[in-house]
Amino acid sequence: MSALPACPKCSSEYTYEDGANLVCPECAHEWTAGAAADADDGPRVYRDSVGNVLQDGDTVTVIKDLKLKGGGGTVKVGTKVKNIRLVDSDHDIDCKIDGFGAMSLKTEFVRKV
């Protein structure tokens, strides 16, 4: 009997192979064999547009004009954003920008100063 890894979602030991995927019959979670090893590598690492590692409290610069939804204006290239906070959502950075207020940014549009 082959030793398949336990389900990364519910830890069930009754996993089985279905083609290239592994399947859990208890919670119906499907994953590839390589994804199971990558799932628990540790905390998420946030990187800016050029690959620098970002941390809470860093200062970043906007690298592209960003139009705000609702006609609130445009955040211009070169705008410095101080004291960022990293969050795990669709936009990775929560911050306050002078003249605009609180907003969320994606890491792909900033560069660490």
Side-chain angles (χ1 to χ4, degrees), residues 54-58 60 81-86 93-95:
L54 296 172
Q55 297 178 351
D56 285 341
D58 281 346
V60 295
V81 181
K82 298 178 182 178
N83 198 20
I84 64 170
R85 186 168 58 103
L86 300 171
I93 299 172
D94 279 345
C95 60

Side-chain angles (χ1 to χ4, degrees), residues 1 4 15-16 20 26 28 30-31 33 36-37 61 68 72 79-80 89 91 98 113:
M1 184 172 186
L4 295 174
T15 58
Y16 64 91
E26 293 183 4
E30 294 184 23
W31 71 100
T61 302
L68 302 179
T79 302
K80 282 192 177 183
S89 67
H91 288 72
D98 294 335
V113 176

Side-chain angles (χ1 to χ4, degrees), residues 30-110:
E30 294 184 23
W31 71 100
T32 59
D38 297 339
D40 294 325
D41 287 342
R44 182 173 172 196
V45 176
Y46 296 90
R47 297 187 182 271
D48 66 3
S49 61
V50 294
N52 297 323
V53 176
L54 296 172
Q55 297 178 351
D56 285 341
D58 281 346
T59 300
V60 295
T61 302
V62 177
I63 62 164
K64 176 183 176 182
D65 284 347
L66 301 174
K67 293 181 183 177
L68 302 179
K69 290 184 178 178
T74 303
V75 178
K76 298 289 184 180
V77 172
T79 302
K80 282 192 177 183
V81 181
K82 298 178 182 178
N83 198 20
I84 64 170
R85 186 168 58 103
L86 300 171
V87 294
D88 191 21
S89 67
D90 59 341
H91 288 72
D92 301 320
I93 299 172
D94 279 345
C95 60
K96 289 184 182 177
I97 298 178
D98 294 335
F100 294 99
M103 66 178 52
S104 297
L105 300 172
K106 291 188 176 186
T107 55
E108 62 195 62
F109 299 123
V110 299

